[in-house]
Amino acid sequence: MNVFRSMSMVLCYRPHVYDIVVLHIAYAGICSTKDDRGDGHYIISRSMYEADTIKRSEVERCNSDKINEVWVPTEFNVDTFTSAGVQPSKLFQVGEGIDMYGTWSPEAAKSIEADVMAKLGINGTKAGWNLMSLFKFERRKNWKGLLRAYLTEFNKKDDICFYLKTHEGWEGNPEKWIKQYLRELISEKVINAKQLPCIFLVDSMIDAELLPKFFGEMDAFVLPSHAEG
């Protein structure tokens, strides 16, 4: 049986019809069939939303004959989609994946020999206490709240360093926006430019296999996000 062609990554494309196609939709909207090439017998839309309802146009797409099932990760999504008008018979709660193989365990991180800090160009920068956050650069990740909290709580006398691992999202270049926001905080006298604590913006890419090692270098992970999808 030929299954699971993904929107974001064509796992196995052949010029014939698949039994099942799962559309992992983000930018195109909930239950969008924009990326459906008509090569599937059975279409599943994997969707999620952090608000308490979805748009009428999205409800209509979910209920259309083009979508056979709608997979959502939480009971909250089941309730909100149903309340909005999506047919309950189409909705299935399918949780996010879990790490069954210990990829992110501390022991696994220790076994990675590569010097991830050197690969990221931040070797020798660690302090007595090291924090990190990892997210796509966009407003709902609350990067402004994160920076404001860190920069007002600590100063250069504190033995601490914060590593913001991010990459360009909907809002464009992270360095540009962060520098602009820091200037605003300084002009408002919220922070003192001469007393800033250690902080690094890490926007270079890193192999997924090395991420556990990067996490292992840290003492704490900070998640300030307004919402996670």
Side-chain angles (χ1 to χ4, degrees), residues 28-63:
I30 293 171
C31 288
S32 171
T33 54
K34 178 179 179 295
D35 293 277
D36 175 29
R37 298 194 294 251
D39 58 356
H41 286 300
Y42 199 84
I43 306 299
I44 298 171
S45 175
R46 178 178 178 273
S47 302
M48 61 191 73
Y49 205 60
E50 298 89 352
D52 60 0
T53 190
I54 62 175
K55 299 176 182 177
R56 170 52 53 184
S57 59
E58 293 169 330
V59 172
E60 292 174 353
R61 289 201 299 261
C62 291
N63 288 338

Side-chain angles (χ1 to χ4, degrees), residues 3 28 41 48 50 66 68 94 98 135-138 147 152 157 170 193 203 208:
V3 298
H41 286 300
M48 61 191 73
E50 298 89 352
K66 294 181 179 180
N68 298 102
V94 180
I98 60 174
F135 51 79
K136 179 175 66 176
F137 194 76
E138 56 188 18
L147 289 176
T152 55
K157 296 180 181 179
W170 305 117
D203 57 359

Side-chain angles (χ1 to χ4, degrees), residues 18 32 104 110 126 130-131 133 168 174 183 198 219:
Y18 290 81
S32 171
W104 293 87
K110 292 176 183 177
K126 289 176 64 177
N130 302 281
L131 310 176
S133 194
E168 189 168 314
R183 286 193 292 268
C198 172
D219 297 295

Side-chain angles (χ1 to χ4, degrees), residues 16-32:
H16 57 240
V17 176
Y18 290 81
D19 294 283
I20 300 173
V21 171
V22 180
L23 299 175
H24 301 269
I25 303 299
Y27 71 92
I30 293 171
C31 288
S32 171

Side-chain angles (χ1 to χ4, degrees), residues 13-208:
Y13 179 74
R14 299 184 182 89
H16 57 240
V17 176
Y18 290 81
D19 294 283
I20 300 173
V21 171
V22 180
L23 299 175
H24 301 269
I25 303 299
Y27 71 92
I30 293 171
C31 288
S32 171
T33 54
K34 178 179 179 295
D35 293 277
D36 175 29
R37 298 194 294 251
D39 58 356
H41 286 300
Y42 199 84
I43 306 299
I44 298 171
S45 175
R46 178 178 178 273
S47 302
M48 61 191 73
Y49 205 60
E50 298 89 352
D52 60 0
T53 190
I54 62 175
K55 299 176 182 177
R56 170 52 53 184
S57 59
E58 293 169 330
V59 172
E60 292 174 353
R61 289 201 299 261
C62 291
N63 288 338
S64 73
D65 294 336
K66 294 181 179 180
I67 299 293
N68 298 102
E69 294 183 11
V70 180
W71 290 359
V72 294
T74 65
E75 290 185 15
F76 171 78
N77 288 138
V78 173
D79 292 340
T80 54
F81 277 50
T82 302
S83 298
V86 176
Q87 298 173 18
S89 61
K90 287 193 173 187
L91 283 166
F92 294 86
Q93 183 184 344
V94 180
E96 301 285 7
I98 60 174
D99 182 14
M100 296 177 61
Y101 304 102
T103 305
W104 293 87
S105 69
E107 292 73 20
K110 292 176 183 177
S111 67
I112 300 174
E113 296 182 0
D115 189 340
V116 66
M117 301 296 281
K119 285 183 174 294
L120 291 172
I122 49 177
N123 194 34
T125 61
K126 289 176 64 177
W129 186 255
N130 302 281
L131 310 176
M132 74 166 288
S133 194
L134 172 67
F135 51 79
K136 179 175 66 176
F137 194 76
E138 56 188 18
R139 275 175 289 181
R140 72 185 184 121
K141 302 301 181 180
N142 191 24
W143 61 269
K144 286 187 176 182
L146 173 63
L147 289 176
R148 188 184 184 102
Y150 176 72
L151 297 174
T152 55
E153 180 66 26
F154 302 102
N155 59 55
K156 69 177 184 179
K157 296 180 181 179
D158 295 306
D159 189 14
I160 192 171
C161 198
F162 176 62
Y163 299 87
L164 175 53
K165 176 70 181 77
T166 188
H167 59 279
E168 189 168 314
W170 305 117
E171 298 182 12
N173 184 273
E175 183 176 356
K176 170 189 171 183
W177 284 99
I178 289 175
K179 285 182 176 179
Q180 178 179 317
Y181 183 58
L182 292 181
R183 286 193 292 268
E184 291 175 6
L185 293 180
I186 291 170
S187 65
E188 295 170 5
K189 300 188 184 305
V190 175
I191 60 175
N192 185 335
K194 297 180 179 180
Q195 297 294 322
L196 297 181
C198 172
I199 182 170
F200 284 92
L201 170 63
V202 184
D203 57 359
S204 55
M205 297 304 292
I206 178 175
D207 293 338

